[in-house]
């Protein structure tokens, strides 16, 4: 999955493919969040606080830690 680096104190990069948002955190952890729309991904890209966005919009989704 192609990842885009973002400006954030907590999130290093995010990507989207086939309904999955993937988030790489500054600590090296990588999570995938399932059943996400492309519009949610674009909202994430444009969010002023990426960490807050994760907590408000992604943590309640089905997720998997991959690293």
């Amino acid at each position: 999955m192609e990842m885009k680096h973002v400006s954030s104190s907590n999130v290093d990069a995010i990507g989207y493919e086939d309904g999955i948002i993937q988030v790489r955190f500054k600590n090296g952890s990588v999570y995938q969040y399932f059943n996400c729309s492309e519009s949610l991904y674009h909202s994430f890209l444009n969010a002023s606080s990426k960490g807050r966005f994760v907590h408000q919009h992604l943590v309640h989704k089905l997720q998997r830690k991959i690293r």
Side-chain angles (χ1 to χ4, degrees), residues 2-66:
E2 181 181 339
M3 301 290 285
K4 293 184 180 187
H5 289 280
V6 294
S7 177
S8 170
S9 61
N10 191 28
V11 176
D12 182 50
I14 63 176
Y16 178 81
E17 186 175 284
D18 298 329
I20 300 169
I21 291 177
Q22 183 166 295
V23 181
R24 182 172 60 233
F25 293 92
K26 299 270 184 177
N27 69 5
S29 297
V30 179
Y31 283 83
Q32 290 183 331
Y33 300 91
F34 299 90
N35 302 315
C36 297
S37 66
E38 193 167 354
S39 65
L40 183 65
Y41 168 69
H42 288 289
S43 294
F44 189 14
L45 279 177
N46 294 315
S48 59
S49 171
K50 305 301 188 270
R52 184 179 312 131
F53 190 93
V54 169
H55 289 289
Q56 290 179 343
H57 301 283
L58 297 179
V59 295
H60 67 280
K61 294 210 173 270
L62 179 63
Q63 58 183 279
R64 165 176 70 170
K65 183 175 183 178
I66 60 172

